Amino acid sequence: MAILVFVVFVLFVLAVSARQSRKARTVGGYFVANSSVHWGVNGIAFAGGYLSVASFLGICGLIAFYGYDGFLYSIGFLAGWIVALFVIAEPMKRMGTFTFSDALNKQYSRPGIQLAAGLSVLVVSLFYLVPQMVGAGVLVEPLLGIPHFWGVILVGGVVIILVASGGMTSTTYVQFFNGGLLLTFAAVLTVAVLIRGISPGDLPAEEGAEDLPSYRFSQVDADISGDRIVPDLPGAEVTGRHGITDRYTGREDLVFYRISHLIPAVPQGDGRFTAQLKGRRVVFDTAAHTEGWTVEEVDGSSYIRLEQWWRFDADNRDLVETQHTSELPSGTTLINGAPDTGDNRLRQMGSVSAIPDEYGESTGPVGPLRFLSVFSRDETVVQRPKQVSFTTDASADVTIHYQEAVAGSMFMRPGLMFPLEAGEGEPAFRTLLNRLNFISLMLALFLGTSALPHILIRYYTVPNAEAARKSTIVAISGIGLFYILTMFLGLGAVAAGALNPETDNMSAPLLARSFGEVLFAMISGIAFTTVLATVSGLIMAASGAVAHDLMANLAKRQFSDTAKVLTGRIVAVVVGLIGIVLGISFRDMNVSFLVGWAFAVAASANLPSLLCMLFWKRTTASGIIASILVGIIASVGLILLSPDMWQRYGFDPAAAPMPINQPGIVSIPLSFAVLFAVSLATGKNRRQREAD
């Protein structure tokens, strides 16, 4: 079913592209759909292009893993449209024709502005493109059963065909189609979540058609004497230990034990055995290899001996089951101690393990406010997935996925993702940095929306300024409704135990699958069109920047309309290929987190020049050029020096030159300051020359 829906959606998108391609032969038709799109259609297309995979997959995942802190992304994404409505919409339509640089350059006619603005559009588009391609691979991997990189390649190929052939007209109708479906099915899924309610003892089955019962991670007693621990497991031996020491208090707050123990096995002949490993039927083949596991005979019965990691619960003085992956020095990958085969995968995690007593075993169907109220109670206990990675003494790289019990009242207030209060022994400056990181993110989201190139170009597809304002109001209505629904989708995913421990990006599709394959197929298909809608808009923006802004200025001559359209198509292919490569490289990062960086770059590079050009008469062309270039260099440079990127380089994130991940709080004011300073300096020189 899921594959059928996926194929239907792809064919529909390609059919739209083929039908609209005849309208994309002129410059106006290819880049701005001849400015003939109705404001209602454009408003829904706004929503379809803006409600990217970061909104649908990323925010739902962040809410499921971090509670209220994840919802702050929704608030920031929506708040940015206030700036777009009251400041940007009508002036952009009045002052531009094809691209963002048209508006900036209308009063100055300086090639340097077009070059700087075109470069900015390219950089922002690539930053925004990466999370969309990451989300594409995350979606297609479970949908079609193919590796992540093939999913990215498949989606990239479809988008390249879509944009290169149909231009802005086909992009508009794909975004309109996506926006309508996304709002409809998000509402349907939210209603389903509220009807199901919260049932701690009755999690839905995993993986749809396989009807795999949700797994309960067990706790086992342990005989503890000093540093010695003996688990209550068959044939158990402790073979390793790893403690996580708090950097400020020096205490071991988290301790894991590697325990070798036996699980019953059933001989299948030819050296093959089957065993139940965390509720899955896993095949062990001695003819292939036995690295990491062995077969033992005890009292005439067969057993598999595995080494698995357990977390020590200091409060209850027992051991709690975890999941883990291990990369051995030989290159062998183990999942939960067994070989990495198609039938051995990590189980879903997360749940609500307790609710207030007055609800008994289940809340039953609840209204929206009651649903949020139950989650917010002290008596509610949320099991949220967490992970930790380390290297053992034997040089094996281990990643452990475990569950942390959090009171509902803590889950539904700020602090899990953006700590605003100092922990025990934590220096005051760390708390200050956490708060600055949060303020920086909100600043980027609020100011970045109206500076995103694929949003700005939509204002040129309507016939006049009034239509631009009306389409913005429609967009805000649709986007606002969707972001309210993300709260219920994220919380519904954790209540259903539908969280993939390796990536929070799959929370919404896995929630849909807990209701059956049909809804999973529809949600996955819609999420796929969401990728297509956003990526096509980004590539269109990049294509227009190169063909309309950069090409003529770099070559210092004018090109025919046919050449510009041809260049736009070529750029669409090149940018699409770059997006594919980057999407594969950043697979393991949350897509909403990556989009936050794109907003920061847009707010730093584009918004200061746009606002000052509209509202400060002393703005000069040199000030605009300097502001754009400084905004790009500062924001991108600080991102490359941030803790998260430092960790990707293999360094200690605490030693990163930029102490916070979000650059906006530095790069946005810096860009404004440069614009003011350069404009005042060059404006004074200009007035002196005029006086002479």
Side-chain angles (χ1 to χ4, degrees):
M1 171 63 76
I3 295 176
L4 176 62
V5 172
F6 175 83
V7 172
V8 169
F9 275 50
V10 171
L11 292 178
F12 175 81
V13 168
L14 293 177
V16 169
S17 178
R19 181 177 178 81
Q20 301 299 330
S21 60
R22 67 173 73 100
K23 301 178 183 179
R25 295 171 183 170
T26 64
V27 171
Y30 184 80
F31 291 112
V32 294
N34 292 318
S35 299
S36 60
V37 179
H38 186 272
W39 59 265
V41 173
N42 198 55
I44 300 298
F46 257 135
Y50 186 72
L51 295 176
S52 64
V53 68
S55 296
F56 188 43
L57 301 185
I59 291 178
C60 291
L62 289 176
I63 293 172
F65 277 65
Y66 298 100
Y68 182 79
D69 278 5
F71 188 63
L72 292 173
Y73 274 86
S74 290
I75 296 173
F77 285 148
L78 178 60
W81 280 92
I82 304 302
V83 178
L85 174 62
F86 290 107
V87 178
I88 301 299
E90 295 188 37
M92 281 298 295
K93 178 57 189 175
R94 287 196 299 266
M95 301 184 70
T97 54
F98 290 138
T99 64
F100 163 62
S101 69
D102 286 338
L104 287 183
N105 203 33
K106 186 173 183 179
Q107 299 178 11
Y108 306 101
S109 298
R110 286 276 299 274
I113 290 180
Q114 286 191 296
L115 285 172
L119 176 62
S120 172
V121 169
L122 275 177
V123 172
V124 175
S125 295
L126 284 174
F127 264 87
Y128 208 109
L129 190 61
V130 172
Q132 313 309 318
M133 302 306 285
V134 171
V138 168
L139 269 174
V140 175
E141 189 172 6
L143 191 64
L144 302 182
I146 59 178
H148 178 273
F149 70 91
W150 280 116
V152 174
I153 293 172
L154 173 62
V155 172
V158 173
V159 172
I160 288 171
I161 295 172
L162 170 69
V163 177
S165 61
M168 180 53 80
T169 305
S170 64
T171 296
T172 295
Y173 284 98
V174 169
Q175 291 177 339
F176 173 77
F177 172 71
N178 169 72
L181 284 181
L182 192 58
L183 288 169
T184 300
F185 278 89
V188 169
L189 191 52
T190 297
V191 171
V193 167
L194 296 177
I195 292 175
R196 171 187 283 169
I198 306 171
S199 303
D202 186 25
L203 293 179
E206 291 182 28
E207 303 185 11
E210 291 186 24
D211 200 28
L212 186 67
S214 292
Y215 188 71
R216 299 286 181 173
F217 293 91
S218 60
Q219 296 182 230
V220 300
D221 294 330
D223 181 11
I224 303 172
S225 176
D227 294 334
R228 185 173 178 272
I229 183 167
V230 180
D232 186 14
L233 292 168
E237 299 176 7
V238 176
T239 60
R241 180 185 185 279
H242 185 83
I244 307 296
T245 302
D246 186 277
R247 60 184 299 188
Y248 301 118
T249 64
R251 292 198 307 261
E252 280 191 335
D253 291 339
L254 202 56
V255 177
F256 298 97
Y257 287 95
R258 186 176 62 219
I259 299 172
S260 172
H261 66 106
L262 301 174
I263 60 174
V266 179
Q268 302 295 316
D270 298 327
R272 298 169 71 246
F273 297 82
T274 60
Q276 289 292 317
L277 179 60
K278 300 200 189 307
R280 289 188 185 276
R281 180 179 177 273
V282 177
V283 176
F284 294 84
D285 188 354
T286 58
H289 55 75
T290 58
E291 188 173 13
W293 60 276
T294 57
V295 179
E296 294 186 12
E297 295 290 329
V298 179
D299 296 331
S301 298
S302 299
Y303 291 86
I304 302 293
R305 177 171 288 278
L306 295 177
E307 287 191 326
Q308 297 186 318
W309 289 91
W310 294 69
R311 179 173 64 87
F312 178 63
D313 184 348
D315 293 333
N316 297 314
R317 307 294 287 176
D318 57 14
L319 293 167
V320 183
E321 194 173 12
T322 72
Q323 299 196 88
H324 48 92
T325 58
S326 302
E327 295 287 341
L328 304 183
S330 63
T332 299
T333 300
L334 301 178
I335 298 179
N336 293 327
D340 180 9
T341 59
D343 54 359
N344 181 26
R345 302 190 301 278
L346 296 178
R347 299 299 302 264
Q348 292 177 187
M349 300 178 69
S351 68
V352 176
S353 58
I355 57 176
D357 292 338
E358 65 257 35
Y359 294 102
E361 296 182 355
S362 172
T363 63
V366 292
L369 296 181
R370 179 61 61 86
F371 184 83
L372 297 178
S373 173
V374 173
F375 258 98
S376 302
R377 297 278 293 273
D378 289 333
E379 304 94 320
T380 300
V381 178
V382 177
Q383 300 288 343
R384 56 184 292 257
K386 297 190 72 175
Q387 72 176 46
V388 62
S389 299
F390 55 87
T391 301
T392 67
D393 293 338
S395 299
D397 294 325
V398 177
T399 298
I400 295 179
H401 304 276
Y402 64 99
Q403 297 190 141
E404 178 186 62
V406 179
S409 57
M410 293 292 295
F411 193 69
M412 294 296 287
R413 74 180 189 186
L416 292 180
M417 187 176 183
F418 304 107
L420 302 180
E421 298 177 359
E424 183 181 357
E426 184 178 7
F429 82 91
R430 290 303 312 174
T431 304
L432 175 62
L433 289 178
N434 290 333
R435 293 176 178 177
L436 289 177
N437 192 52
F438 172 71
I439 294 172
S440 184
L441 171 64
M442 291 297 107
L443 189 65
L445 298 184
F446 184 73
L447 298 179
T449 297
S450 53
L452 293 172
H454 70 296
I455 297 299
L456 293 173
I457 61 172
R458 291 233 60 86
Y459 288 118
Y460 305 134
T461 62
V462 291
N464 52 54
E466 181 183 2
R469 176 172 50 82
K470 289 181 178 179
S471 62
T472 305
I473 294 173
V474 172
I476 290 175
S477 301
I479 292 167
L481 172 61
F482 177 82
Y483 282 141
I484 292 173
L485 299 180
T486 59
M487 175 62 86
F488 298 97
L489 299 183
L491 296 180
V494 69
L499 306 184
N500 184 327
E502 291 186 293
T503 173
D504 50 15
N505 294 323
M506 277 301 293
S507 299
L510 291 180
L511 169 64
R513 187 162 62 182
S514 72
F515 291 102
E517 285 296 305
V518 174
L519 193 53
F520 171 65
M522 295 302 299
I523 292 297
S524 298
I526 292 168
F528 176 74
T529 62
T530 300
V531 177
L532 296 184
T534 304
V535 171
S536 59
L538 291 167
I539 293 180
M540 277 303 309
S543 177
V546 173
H548 185 70
D549 301 330
L550 297 181
M551 186 173 68
N553 288 289
L554 291 175
K556 299 187 182 303
R557 68 184 182 89
Q558 293 298 315
F559 290 87
S560 66
D561 287 357
T562 302
K564 288 183 178 180
V565 172
L566 177 61
T567 302
R569 298 184 196 276
I570 294 173
V571 173
V573 175
V574 174
V575 173
L577 293 175
I578 294 173
I580 289 172
V581 174
L582 295 177
I584 294 172
S585 302
F586 284 82
R587 172 189 178 183
D588 57 341
M589 296 191 73
N590 178 273
V591 290
S592 280
F593 184 84
L594 290 171
V595 162
W597 281 347
F599 274 69
V601 177
S604 304
N606 296 345
L607 192 69
S609 57
L610 191 56
L611 289 179
C612 290
M613 180 269 298
L614 292 173
F615 301 107
W616 192 43
K617 294 182 179 180
R618 300 180 70 176
T619 302
T620 65
S622 298
I624 289 176
I625 295 170
S627 175
I628 293 174
L629 295 179
V630 168
I632 294 173
I633 295 170
S635 57
V636 175
L638 291 175
I639 287 172
L640 294 177
L641 298 176
S642 67
D644 269 2
M645 290 303 296
W646 218 243
Q647 188 173 23
R648 292 191 71 84
Y649 304 148
F651 304 139
D652 179 8
M658 172 66 171
I660 60 177
N661 284 309
Q662 300 296 334
I665 199 168
V666 176
S667 57
I668 296 172
L670 179 62
S671 183
F672 272 108
V674 167
L675 191 147
F676 291 143
V678 174
S679 292
L680 290 173
T682 55
K684 181 179 180 180
N685 294 337
R686 184 183 64 189
R687 288 192 298 273
Q688 288 178 344
R689 288 195 300 270
E690 291 174 352
D692 294 340

